[in-house]
């Protein structure tokens, strides 16, 4: 990194956060620790780790991973233009823009938090194009319809490999501007496959997005490595979304559900997952013709009374969410729903408490009801967790009550509650 404008304490990497940034920031803190993570802006987190040290594929709450090239002392557009021209002209490999000497090269520019129009970004791209173009290399600018290129644009235009580059311009909270080059983007095809391609789906039991399942798992396991004896339990496994994502991370998985049909669906989906590219499970040759071979454990069980054997190391799940609502229900209906869900989840926490070792960590996606824009009715048991034998994990970078996954028009939100067994 050759820029004299860089700060010594700047992050080495940037993660662009997803639609609900608090979840992505919490996920990063859980995996890498509060000391390594900072909130650069409302849309981006900084990490004092090289990109190679970040397992981006398992991050559900970050859309892009970038390598920091420079920081500028202000958001001055003239200063930004000058620095990008310097980077494009550099013959060293710090920017990576000179790495491809021939063939086609795509370049895109994204701005986060800067007061700049898409037209101005495209014009800057054309300036860089003139510098980067050579007799043996043509350069194409990915046009900006908005200030930030979408993950799909970055993915499909190959801006993270030797065929291209995306330059991120980020207005930081401290008044500086961070310049970074994207090195990884979410695998949108992979998520689509695991979400819509799995053979068994059931909208009546909810459709947990794989990205959210990853966040739940990462909040549950924190920095734990997926060793052989690290078992993740989903006691409300539904169609097995959490268990598939945990399998992809290398953890052993254990699922239960009160509905035998869901257990059949989970079984089918987990065996289907063996054929997903990158699945770290290999079917033994001696079991190739054994229809009963399984790499997981699943069984029918009521989470309020079931005994799990062996005891899991971690619990990660979307719990019972209660009745679905498309409009805000009456007060009586809402309170009855809250009471019913609260009772079931309280019984579950009481039942599993003595089956977990002290310090065991859980992440539960429980319901919270949006009664007015961005105002929620929470489960009463959240205020009595200590009485049930649990401590709520306090994160330094994100408030606990900000861990909500929802759309503006959605009544039933998912609130992520991270606990340890006292």
């Amino acid at each position: 990194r050759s820029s004299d404008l860089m700060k010594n304490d700047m992050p080495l990497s940037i993660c662009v956060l997803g639609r609900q940034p608090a979840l992505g920031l919490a996920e990063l803190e859980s995996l890498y620790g509060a000391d390594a993570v900072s909130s650069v802006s409302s849309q981006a987190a900084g990490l004092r780790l090289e990109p190679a040290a970040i397992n981006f594929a398992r991050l559900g709450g970050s859309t892009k991973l970038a390598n920091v090239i420079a920081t500028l002392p202000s958001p001055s557009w003239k200063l930004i233009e000058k620095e990008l021209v310097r980077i494009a002209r550099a013959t060293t490999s710090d920017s990576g823009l000179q790495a491809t000497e021939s063939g086609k090269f795509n370049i895109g520019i994204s701005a986060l938090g800067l007061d700049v129009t898409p037209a101005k970004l495209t014009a800057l791209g054309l300036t860089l194009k003139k510098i980067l173009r050579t007799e043996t290399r043509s350069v194409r600018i990915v046009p900006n319809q908005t200030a930030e290129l979408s993950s799909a644009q970055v993915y499909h235009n190959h801006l993270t490999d030797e065929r291209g580059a995306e330059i991120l311009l980020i207005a930081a909270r401290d008044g500086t501007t961070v310049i970074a080059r994207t090195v990884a983007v979410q695998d949108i095809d992979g998520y689509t496959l695991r979400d819509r391609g799995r053979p068994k789906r059931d909208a009546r039991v909810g459709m947990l997005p794989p990205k959210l399942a990853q966040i739940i798992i990462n909040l549950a396991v924190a920095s734990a490595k997926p060793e052989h004896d690290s078992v993740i339990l989903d006691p409300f496994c539904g169609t097995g979304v959490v268990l598939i994502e945990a399998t992809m991370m290398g953890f052993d998985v254990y699922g239960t559900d009160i509905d035998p049909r869901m257990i059949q669906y989970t079984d089918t989906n987990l065996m289907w997952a063996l054929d997903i590219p990158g699945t770290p499970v290999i079917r033994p040759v001696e079991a190739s013709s054994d229809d009963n071979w399984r790499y997981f454990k699943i069984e029918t069980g009521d989470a309020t009374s079931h005994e799990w054997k062996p005891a899991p190391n971690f619990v990660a799940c979307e719990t019972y969410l209660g009745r679905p609502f498309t409009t805000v229900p009456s007060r009586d209906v809402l309170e009855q729903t809250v009471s019913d869900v609260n009772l079931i989840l309280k019984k579950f926490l009481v039942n599993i408490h003595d089956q977990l070792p002290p310090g065991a960590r859980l992440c539960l996606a429980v319901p919270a009801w949006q009664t007015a824009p961005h105002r929620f009715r929470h489960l009463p048991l959240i205020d009595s967790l200590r009485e049930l034998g649990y401590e709520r994990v306090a994160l330094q970078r994100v408030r606990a009550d900000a861990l909500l996954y929802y759309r503006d028009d959605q009544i039933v939100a998912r609130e992520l509650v991270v606990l340890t067994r006292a």
Side-chain angles (χ1 to χ4, degrees):
R1 297 181 178 86
S2 62
S3 175
D4 295 332
L5 299 171
M6 290 174 56
K7 297 167 61 179
N8 292 330
D9 60 347
M10 67 184 289
L12 301 175
S13 303
I14 291 288
C15 278
V16 177
L17 303 173
R19 183 171 59 85
Q20 290 172 310
L23 298 182
L25 190 59
E27 178 183 44
L28 291 170
E29 179 179 337
S30 181
L31 286 173
Y32 300 110
D35 290 343
V37 178
S38 61
S39 177
V40 171
S41 73
S42 62
Q43 299 168 273
L47 291 97
R48 295 182 181 87
L49 298 168
E50 295 284 356
I54 299 167
N55 189 348
F56 183 73
R58 70 180 282 181
L59 297 179
S62 296
T63 61
K64 300 173 184 177
L65 173 65
N67 180 45
V68 174
I69 300 172
T71 57
L72 308 181
S74 78
S76 163
W77 187 248
K78 287 186 178 181
L79 193 61
I80 291 170
E81 287 181 310
K82 181 179 179 180
E83 179 65 4
L84 284 185
V85 167
R86 185 204 68 79
I87 290 171
R89 287 175 173 164
T91 56
T92 58
S93 60
D94 63 344
S95 72
L97 299 184
Q98 299 288 352
T100 302
E101 295 301 330
S102 62
K104 293 183 179 179
F105 190 76
N106 296 326
I107 187 167
I109 305 174
S110 288
L112 285 73
L114 288 169
D115 184 16
V116 58
T117 64
K120 186 174 285 189
L121 290 170
T122 301
L124 175 57
L126 292 173
T127 298
L128 300 182
K129 176 180 178 177
K130 293 177 182 178
I131 298 171
L132 296 170
R133 187 171 52 197
T134 66
E135 291 182 1
T136 59
R137 179 172 68 173
S138 63
V139 178
R140 171 180 170 268
I141 301 301
V142 179
N144 289 78
Q145 302 300 321
T146 58
E148 182 187 359
L149 298 177
S150 69
S151 296
Q153 286 177 293
V154 175
Y155 183 81
H156 291 300
N157 286 285
H158 308 287
L159 300 187
T160 61
D161 60 29
E162 70 278 359
R163 289 171 285 182
E166 181 193 32
I167 300 299
L168 295 177
L169 309 174
I170 304 167
R173 296 183 190 277
D174 61 3
T176 63
T177 299
V178 178
I179 300 177
R181 181 186 174 180
T182 304
V183 297
V185 66
Q186 280 189 334
D187 180 2
I188 53 179
D189 290 343
Y191 282 119
T192 300
L193 172 66
R194 302 199 301 274
D195 186 20
R196 302 176 187 175
R198 64 183 188 274
K200 296 296 185 180
R201 305 168 83 239
D202 191 335
R204 290 174 296 177
V205 297
M207 301 294 282
L208 181 68
K211 293 179 186 180
L212 180 57
Q214 287 181 314
I215 294 171
I216 293 169
I217 295 165
N218 288 328
L219 289 174
V221 303
S223 60
K225 300 294 187 293
E227 298 171 350
H228 181 69
D229 60 350
S230 295
V231 179
I232 291 180
L233 169 70
D234 183 347
F236 300 85
C237 67
T239 61
V241 176
V242 167
L243 302 181
I244 289 174
E245 296 306 318
T247 295
M248 297 298 293
M249 294 180 189
F251 288 96
D252 290 339
V253 296
Y254 185 0
T256 59
D257 198 281
I258 196 171
D259 185 348
R261 184 171 58 96
M262 291 297 101
I263 293 301
Q264 294 174 3
Y265 281 16
T266 292
D267 183 82
T268 299
N269 287 338
L270 285 173
M271 292 303 289
W272 165 81
L274 285 174
D275 294 326
I276 297 175
T279 300
V281 179
I282 299 175
R283 185 171 184 143
V285 175
E286 60 270 21
S288 59
S289 59
D290 182 359
D291 292 338
N292 295 317
W293 178 85
R294 295 293 183 269
Y295 66 90
F296 50 84
K297 182 175 182 179
I298 54 173
E299 58 200 13
T300 304
D302 183 342
T304 66
S305 59
H306 192 72
E307 183 178 0
W308 292 277
K309 294 181 180 179
N313 304 91
F314 308 100
V315 178
C317 65
E318 176 184 77
T319 67
Y320 175 57
L321 299 181
R323 292 176 56 180
F325 295 113
T326 56
T327 60
V328 178
S330 68
R331 181 171 180 176
D332 289 346
V333 170
L334 177 59
E335 290 308 312
Q336 184 61 55
T337 301
V338 171
S339 177
D340 292 344
V341 175
N342 198 73
L343 179 61
I344 290 172
L345 298 190
K346 184 175 181 179
K347 286 183 176 180
F348 158 63
L349 287 172
V350 169
N351 175 48
I352 201 171
H353 180 272
D354 290 345
Q355 300 185 51
L356 297 172
R361 189 159 162 141
L362 310 85
C363 180
L364 314 178
V366 305
W369 294 267
Q370 189 173 201
T371 57
H374 312 298
R375 294 182 61 183
F376 296 89
R377 174 75 163 89
H378 300 273
L379 283 173
L381 67 80
I382 290 176
D383 295 325
S384 58
L385 291 168
R386 284 191 174 182
E387 298 171 18
L388 299 175
Y390 297 90
E391 292 288 341
R392 193 167 189 180
V393 174
L395 298 170
Q396 293 185 37
R397 305 301 180 201
V398 182
R399 300 192 327 272
D401 61 3
L403 299 181
L404 287 160
Y405 182 91
Y406 66 99
R407 297 187 307 271
D408 289 344
D409 62 347
Q410 196 171 28
I411 306 302
V412 183
R414 297 168 171 102
E415 180 170 9
L416 305 193
V417 182
V418 187
L419 309 172
T420 55
R421 190 270 205 201

